[in-house]
Amino acid sequence: NAGVMQNPRHLVRRRGQEARLRCSPMKGHSHVYWYRQLPEEGLKFMVYLQKENIIDESGMPKERFSAEFPKEGPSILRIQQVVRGDSAAYFCASSPSRTGSLETFGSGTRLTVV
Amino acid sequence: KNQVEQSPQSLIILEGKNCTLQCNYTVSPFSNLRWYKQDTGRGPVSLTIMTFSENTKSNGRYTATLDADTKQSSLHITASQLSDSASYICVVKTGSNTGNQFYFGTGTSLTVIP
């Protein structure tokens, strides 16, 4: 069991480019969560997805950010037209069920916008 | 307003000593409370999860307590080791049926010195 796999580990983008962050949940996990950790700040919830469905996106910025979890393949967090303020560590977590189970986190993707 | 507050913000202790970290929350409705350990540059690792009816839960040298009446939790670390140096994050999950909302504390930074 390889755990939650995130790639790339580090991503550098110029302002205005697009960033695509990938998350492969643990085997058997159908629930995926994305979090953002800004420098010197705590983790903040962004979005919760199940296969082919966005369940809760209340933590997602209204513009430029989108997430998907297709039937096949990893979950993708997409940031369009990145700005310097998007520089952060983005963590993905997965769980086998909706309630009562601890999530397993990936090692994160560190996005740097230059 | 749903909030999670942790104290102290940082703590330095000698190897072998015990310590207690605090978490106060105002999140409602309450579903469960989790403690995570996050090493610098790594993803969080789950330590414990406690529901409304649980008062104490242990995981090795880590013991978490929950007082749902006063909305307080503590994480006690016994016989600290150098590898315990990390950020410890308290997370409260709401019981909303419309989605999953996670509220993160900003963490306590623990440094264990020899």
Side-chain angles (χ1 to χ4, degrees):
Chain A
N1 194 337
V4 178
M5 303 300 293
Q6 288 189 250
N7 64 82
R9 288 294 305 274
H10 300 275
L11 182 61
V12 179
R13 284 287 178 266
R14 296 188 184 277
R15 280 178 295 171
Q17 290 184 319
E18 177 180 288
R20 292 173 75 89
L21 288 62
R22 288 177 290 277
C23 169
S24 296
M26 284 185 70
K27 187 177 181 181
H29 287 192
S30 59
H31 300 250
V32 167
Y33 314 81
W34 284 94
Y35 303 89
R36 178 165 64 174
Q37 188 170 35
L38 293 169
E40 308 301 324
E41 293 189 17
L43 284 156
K44 284 190 167 53
F45 167 79
M46 297 182 75
V47 61
Y48 162 47
L49 311 101
Q50 292 182 31
K51 285 285 187 180
E52 300 184 276
N53 285 306
I54 296 175
I55 306 302
D56 181 356
E57 56 181 347
S58 57
M60 288 277 273
K62 299 300 182 191
E63 298 177 347
R64 302 188 297 108
F65 284 72
S66 62
E68 62 176 8
F69 189 16
K71 187 176 181 180
E72 300 291 337
S75 175
I76 305 288
L77 179 67
R78 182 182 178 205
I79 311 172
Q80 295 178 288
Q81 299 176 331
V82 296
V83 301
R84 289 231 171 100
D86 296 333
S87 296
Y90 292 83
F91 291 97
C92 166
S94 71
S95 69
S97 66
R98 174 175 175 167
T99 59
S101 54
L102 282 169
E103 300 81 24
T104 300
F105 279 80
S107 297
T109 292
R110 277 145 191 84
L111 172 66
T112 302
V113 180
V114 298
Chain B
K1 183 180 179 182
N2 290 323
Q3 282 186 316
V4 177
E5 295 184 351
Q6 291 187 243
S7 63
Q9 188 173 12
S10 62
L11 183 62
I12 300 174
I13 62 172
L14 289 173
E15 185 180 11
K17 298 295 185 182
N18 304 335
C19 66
T20 301
L21 316 179
Q22 300 290 343
C23 174
N24 297 338
Y25 63 93
T26 58
V27 177
S28 180
F30 175 87
S31 176
N32 57 58
L33 183 146
R34 305 129 183 263
W35 282 95
Y36 290 96
K37 176 187 178 187
Q38 185 176 22
D39 292 307
T40 301
R42 307 288 295 273
V45 174
S46 303
L47 295 176
T48 64
I49 177 172
M50 302 180 71
T51 59
F52 186 87
S53 59
E54 295 176 297
N55 300 121
T56 304
K57 184 168 279 190
S58 292
N59 178 1
R61 294 181 296 103
Y62 301 102
T63 299
T65 66
L66 175 65
D67 185 334
D69 292 330
T70 61
K71 297 188 177 181
Q72 295 180 326
S73 175
S74 66
L75 180 70
H76 186 76
I77 304 175
T78 304
S80 61
Q81 300 176 359
L82 297 178
S83 59
D84 292 332
S85 295
S87 180
Y88 291 83
I89 305 167
C90 173
V91 184
V92 180
K93 187 175 180 181
T94 71
S96 170
N97 289 327
T98 59
N100 284 267
Q101 290 274 13
F102 296 87
Y103 293 88
F104 288 76
T106 52
T108 292
S109 177
L110 174 66
T111 303
V112 180
I113 58 175

